[in-house]
Amino acid sequence: MNFDHTEEQLRLIETAKRFVEEELYPYEEEVEKSGEVRAELRRQIIDRSLEIGLYAANMPEHLGGGGLDALSMCMLDRELGRANMALQYTVGRPSNILQACVGEQREKYLFPCIKGEKTDCLAMTEPGAGSDLRSMSCKAERDGDDFVINGTKHFISHADVADFVILFAATGVEPIIDKSRHRGPRKKITAFLVDMGTPGFMLRKGYDNVSHRGYHNCILEFDNCRLSSSQVLGEVDQGFEIANDWLGNTRLQVAAICLGRCDRAFELACEYAATRKQFNQTIGKFQGVGFKLADMELRRRAAQLITYQAAAKANANSNTNAAMSDMDAALAKLSATEALAFIADEAIQIYGGMGLMSDLPLERIWRDARVERIWEGTSEIQRLIISRSLLRPLENQ
């Protein structure tokens, strides 16, 4: 595949690079120390990204978004990914799931998100349901034309700054067709749009964590929270299909963001190796350091090629054999997140003790890298998807 940048993509990269340097980098230290993105700063970043066309770049043009294709979005996310996560995320990317909105839902949720007037968050993970989403216990029971929600979600990112939640809850149990392959009840899942402040819905502070300072996780509790049927997103019992469509895109996004962090850590390591002197020569001339750089570049380029290939496939018509598969998205996330872990660690090794000092962004990149192999599907889940995709055609022969 040819990944030569078009003129439009080159302009996009330059715009994003300048935006990160001018609008995000100057506030990284503040956010890292305070653990917060001030409301005024958040609004400032939103307004500026709207002004230059970076906000909602993933949404179709006919809906008011930037209309970028998957490969161009990877290039944008790669540049934004160089910055602190809390700041980077403020450059809004409404969930693709919102394209399932219909009628009044579009006016209340979809269009305000695209205009930067509202922010969404997704609630899937539970204390007892992480990788196995089908086992979620948060349930929605019918009561006439309404649904009553009960249950708890946790690790819900940026819910503290969201205006509404895209909630996934169990609405039934699928019949068991093949008992020999059955591992337990498989829940039917439905997606709902839930406004903050809805009676019976409480948001609590989440857990303190080592990664992504300023980018908070929250706990959501639902106690007989009543929703009307107009708040169902998509079709009842079809939430898992919506979630699957979303997960492929988010895994690609995670991969692209990790590429940006790989770039920043790698560039810092190269610069240091080329200027730091020990024993009367720059340390990069020692094989112990130079070979580290070679291995870092090998992994960085491999992750880039795998991610860009998946994005190029995502641009293809979904009805063709060239379309992005679950395996393509899994390969992208797995390769990029593991490349980042390796590169961040080796960059600190090259810097020595200085690499762990907060004067440099390396220790932050290193801390932040750890969670990338867990959320949006652990590395083990990505390997499971890949291995099943490789073996399934042979098993069906």
Side-chain angles (χ1 to χ4, degrees), residues 1 3 71 74 252 303-315 322-324 328 331-332:
M1 289 185 176
F3 299 126
L71 183 55
C74 274
L252 200 54
Q304 173 187 311
L305 288 171
I306 292 171
T307 301
Y308 280 15
Q309 183 183 52
K313 286 186 174 184
N315 286 341
M324 183 179 74
D328 292 317
L331 283 165

Side-chain angles (χ1 to χ4, degrees), residues 227-246:
L227 305 176
S228 72
S229 56
S230 66
Q231 290 170 268
V232 172
L233 180 62
E235 301 292 332
V236 174
D237 296 338
Q238 298 301 308
F240 198 71
E241 285 68 25
I242 293 178
N244 271 341
D245 291 341
W246 169 71

Side-chain angles (χ1 to χ4, degrees), residues 151-320:
T152 301
K153 300 288 182 179
H154 77 163
F155 295 157
I156 309 306
S157 300
H158 58 85
D160 56 324
V161 296
D163 297 284
F164 65 95
V165 178
I166 302 172
L167 170 71
F168 290 83
T171 44
V173 180
E174 292 184 353
I176 300 173
I177 299 174
D178 183 354
K179 292 185 178 181
S180 65
R181 299 173 66 90
H182 182 57
R183 296 184 179 180
R186 289 174 59 83
K187 307 288 181 64
K188 294 179 180 179
I189 307 298
T190 300
F192 298 88
L193 299 165
V194 188
D195 296 311
M196 292 296 179
T198 298
F201 167 31
M202 184 174 71
L203 181 146
R204 293 198 293 112
K205 180 181 181 295
Y207 313 95
D208 291 331
N209 60 83
V210 69
S211 300
H212 300 314
R213 290 173 183 166
Y215 185 78
H216 304 146
N217 70 84
C218 299
I219 298 169
L220 313 184
E221 295 180 343
F222 299 88
D223 182 10
N224 291 322
C225 177
R226 183 172 293 271
L227 305 176
S228 72
S229 56
S230 66
Q231 290 170 268
V232 172
L233 180 62
E235 301 292 332
V236 174
D237 296 338
Q238 298 301 308
F240 198 71
E241 285 68 25
I242 293 178
N244 271 341
D245 291 341
W246 169 71
L247 283 170
N249 288 317
T250 56
R251 284 168 181 164
L252 200 54
Q253 180 188 16
V254 168
I257 289 170
C258 287
L259 288 179
R261 297 199 186 113
C262 284
D263 292 341
R264 193 172 182 186
F266 180 70
E267 288 163 9
L268 286 167
C270 285
E271 181 180 356
Y272 192 74
T275 56
R276 168 72 167 169
K277 287 188 175 182
Q278 291 287 279
F279 305 104
N280 298 317
Q281 65 179 9
T282 56
I283 61 173
K285 292 182 178 178
F286 294 104
Q287 288 185 351
V289 173
F291 284 9
K292 288 184 186 297
L293 296 175
D295 288 339
M296 292 159 76
E297 177 68 345
L298 173 65
R299 299 195 186 206
R300 188 173 73 117
R301 288 204 188 189
Q304 173 187 311
L305 288 171
I306 292 171
T307 301
Y308 280 15
Q309 183 183 52
K313 286 186 174 184
N315 286 341
N317 188 301
S318 59
N319 294 321
T320 70

Side-chain angles (χ1 to χ4, degrees), residues 355-373:
L356 290 169
M357 301 299 107
S358 58
D359 301 69
L360 296 171
L362 280 179
E363 61 89 20
R364 170 179 63 78
I365 294 171
W366 181 62
R367 280 188 288 104
D368 291 352
R370 190 61 191 88
V371 74
E372 305 296 349
R373 288 176 285 162

